[in-house]
Amino acid sequence: MNGIRQILLDQRARLERKFEKERIIERDVPDLKRYISVPNILAILGVRRSGKSTLAEILVREENFGYVNFDDERLAGIKSEDLQTLEKAIYELFGDVDYFLFDEIHNVEGWELFVSRLREAGKRIIITGSNSKMLSGELATHLTGRHIDYTLYPFSFKEYLRFKGIKVKEVGGVYTTLSEATIKRELENYMKIGGFPEVLKISDDYIFSIFSDIMYKDVVERIKVKRIETFKAFAINVLKYFSSEISISRISKALKMSTNTVEQWFNGLQNAYVIFTAERFTERPRESMVSPKKVYVVDPGFISTIALGDSKGRLMENLVALYLIRKWKKLYYFKAENYEIDFYDGETAVQVTYASGKDEIPKREIEGIKKVKAREKIIVTWEYEGEENGIKFVPLWRFLLK
């Protein structure tokens, strides 16, 4: 018990130091605290190092809460039967707390029943996790309708500007010339280094450490990858497909591996939030299932640093995907016989093209978006702005700040 108490005190002290020493950046998220205004569970999910813990801590900062970080190596090997001892230690140290914050509790096998029991006892609980499957299985069975999950991504471009202390001056949708020049310059930087908070605070090179941590802790260890070097090559190869259609069967043939293994590895990257996909929009479910998916990467820093991607048009499309996934939750593209729309949800059609002037926009992009049925039609460009035949042409920087 004394060992557990010391770990909890150390973790709490580290938490306090973070809020004393670090500048905490406000995140553009909904009012998440209302989801735990009654005894309930809020799961903040997302890629490792995206700021989930900090966001969770902000939500309970003014409350009397118990906190445990299960990513602490001193808690490695803890079992579900030990969780009651840990709970007792929390009460002894911090009193009869109403709120619990559990970081990466999915590291403990059988944690679901423990959390369910706390909720039934009237406790309000926030859990964080870097694997999308943590809410499947037992937790979903025991907590049907009693938990809310929210996916947090690394800093958006708007949050990145906030971190950099850049206040853009805008009046009625018009930005000052100085603000616009600053925004464009910072967009170029954001496309290179991305939005992981620790990369921005420590060093651009820290992106390698984050990627390595995710690969080993959230994929290799979780799905028990044996061919680690082959898997690393596979993961980097998948990143190189950003903003493109991907074929599992083609990759499996290239690697001379079974389709099942490659699919398991691909799903592992998805579950760890390294990548996400867009499916083909169609009213025939089978057609959507057999059509190729388009793959996108969770942070532009992974693209420029790990995948060494430098295609401006594809980088732009990936940034638009990151913007839309926050709003739409699920992405689709539209494909007809002679044209394709990058993003489409039945109401809105969004096309992305690296163009600075109207004459640089490929004719097929304009003709394609004219044909699709949509209430709102947008072509995201690099610099060109205007409106014609119901189509809005919006520069990327302005689109990302909407």
Side-chain angles (χ1 to χ4, degrees):
M1 176 67 82
N2 287 337
I4 290 286
R5 287 162 61 97
Q6 188 59 56
I7 292 170
L8 294 179
L9 286 171
D10 289 349
Q11 290 184 353
R12 189 62 170 256
R14 198 176 302 133
L15 199 64
E16 295 300 328
R17 285 197 299 272
K18 175 163 64 170
F19 275 86
E20 287 171 7
K21 294 182 178 180
E22 293 186 17
R23 185 166 60 95
I24 305 300
I25 304 302
E26 180 188 351
R27 303 301 298 264
D28 295 325
V29 299
D31 179 14
L32 296 175
K33 196 165 183 180
R34 66 190 173 93
Y35 295 130
I36 49 170
S37 59
V38 295
N40 209 343
I41 295 175
L42 168 66
I44 302 177
L45 308 174
V47 68
R48 186 175 291 268
R49 310 290 179 83
S50 58
K52 303 183 297 297
S53 302
T54 302
L55 175 59
E57 290 152 16
I58 290 170
L59 296 177
V60 297
R61 183 111 181 100
E62 303 301 320
E63 311 292 344
N64 184 24
F65 67 96
Y67 169 70
V68 188
N69 178 6
F70 289 93
D71 235 9
D72 191 319
E73 73 280 358
R74 293 171 295 177
L75 293 178
I78 191 170
K79 296 186 167 38
S80 57
E81 53 264 31
D82 302 321
L83 293 175
Q84 192 167 350
T85 301
L86 191 145
E87 179 191 1
K88 185 179 178 184
I90 289 173
Y91 291 138
E92 289 178 0
L93 288 170
F94 308 113
D96 188 15
V97 300
D98 290 321
Y99 291 80
F100 284 90
L101 168 51
F102 297 132
D103 265 339
E104 306 288 345
I105 193 174
H106 58 85
N107 289 338
V108 182
E109 194 171 339
W111 61 274
E112 301 93 343
L113 289 172
F114 170 70
V115 168
S116 178
R117 179 176 62 75
L118 287 177
R119 194 209 66 81
E120 288 171 3
K123 304 301 180 182
R124 300 176 173 98
I125 302 157
I126 302 177
I127 56 180
T128 74
S130 49
N131 191 281
S132 64
K133 292 300 180 186
M134 70 178 289
L135 287 182
S136 62
E138 284 294 308
L139 185 62
T141 302
H142 289 282
L143 294 170
T144 304
R146 295 171 187 161
H147 74 267
I148 297 289
D149 61 293
Y150 179 80
T151 303
L152 185 72
Y153 296 87
F155 285 158
S156 66
F157 180 53
K158 187 184 287 188
E159 291 167 337
Y160 164 88
L161 290 177
R162 194 174 297 146
F163 172 85
K164 300 283 279 188
I166 296 169
K167 295 179 181 178
V168 294
K169 295 180 180 178
E170 174 204 4
V171 180
V174 178
Y175 294 81
T176 65
T177 304
L178 183 61
S179 286
E180 191 172 320
T182 302
I183 293 168
K184 288 177 182 177
R185 183 179 68 248
E186 289 299 338
L187 178 56
E188 295 270 12
N189 291 333
Y190 178 70
M191 291 173 84
K192 291 175 185 172
I193 64 176
F196 278 105
E198 287 174 310
V199 171
L200 299 174
K201 290 174 185 175
I202 300 171
S203 162
D204 296 4
D205 292 337
Y206 202 63
I207 196 82
F208 294 103
S209 175
I210 292 176
F211 185 74
S212 180
D213 262 9
I214 294 168
M215 290 300 102
Y216 286 103
K217 292 182 180 179
D218 298 323
V219 188
V220 170
E221 290 180 2
R222 189 159 294 279
I223 64 175
K224 307 292 189 290
V225 174
K226 292 184 176 65
R227 300 168 62 178
I228 295 176
E229 290 307 314
T230 305
F231 169 75
K232 283 169 62 179
F234 161 81
I236 293 171
N237 196 39
V238 168
L239 296 191
K240 291 179 184 292
Y241 277 92
F242 72 97
S243 303
S244 305
E245 290 183 359
I246 193 165
S247 167
I248 297 295
S249 60
R250 200 174 301 152
I251 292 176
S252 64
K253 286 176 184 174
L255 293 175
K256 297 179 180 177
M257 295 178 61
S258 73
T259 304
N260 286 344
T261 299
V262 172
E263 194 164 2
Q264 184 191 33
W265 288 2
F266 185 83
N267 290 339
L269 292 175
Q270 277 191 288
N271 293 340
Y273 296 98
V274 177
I275 58 171
F276 55 98
T277 60
E279 296 179 8
R280 185 174 178 179
F281 186 94
T282 173
E283 294 179 358
R284 296 187 288 272
R286 177 170 171 74
E287 187 178 21
S288 180
M289 286 173 62
V290 300
S291 295
K293 290 181 172 63
K294 292 183 75 173
V295 69
Y296 297 98
V297 178
V298 74
D299 186 76
F302 280 168
I303 294 173
S304 61
T305 307
I306 307 296
L308 302 178
D310 59 359
S311 167
K312 207 67 165 282
R314 289 168 62 202
L315 271 165
M316 287 176 62
E317 184 178 332
N318 201 97
L319 286 183
V320 171
L322 281 165
Y323 174 89
L324 292 176
I325 194 70
R326 290 173 165 93
K327 295 180 66 176
W328 292 0
K329 310 305 179 191
K330 192 169 178 62
L331 296 184
Y332 295 93
Y333 67 95
F334 185 86
K335 196 168 190 175
E337 191 174 330
N338 56 357
Y339 69 95
E340 183 176 325
I341 305 298
D342 293 325
F343 305 102
Y344 182 66
D345 69 347
E347 292 272 328
T348 304
V350 181
Q351 199 75 290
V352 186
T353 181
Y354 179 48
S356 296
K358 174 73 182 300
D359 56 341
E360 294 179 23
I361 301 172
K363 191 175 180 181
R364 68 177 185 280
E365 307 276 19
I366 298 175
E367 292 305 313
I369 207 166
K370 278 182 181 177
K371 294 175 183 176
V372 75
K373 292 180 180 179
R375 182 177 50 81
E376 186 176 27
K377 299 181 179 184
I378 301 169
I379 295 182
V380 178
T381 68
W382 183 244
E383 282 193 310
Y384 177 68
E385 187 167 4
E387 187 167 353
E388 186 178 303
N389 298 321
I391 302 170
K392 295 176 184 175
F393 299 88
V394 184
L396 177 64
W397 64 268
R398 189 183 287 278
F399 182 84
L400 296 178
L401 294 181
K402 280 204 302 182

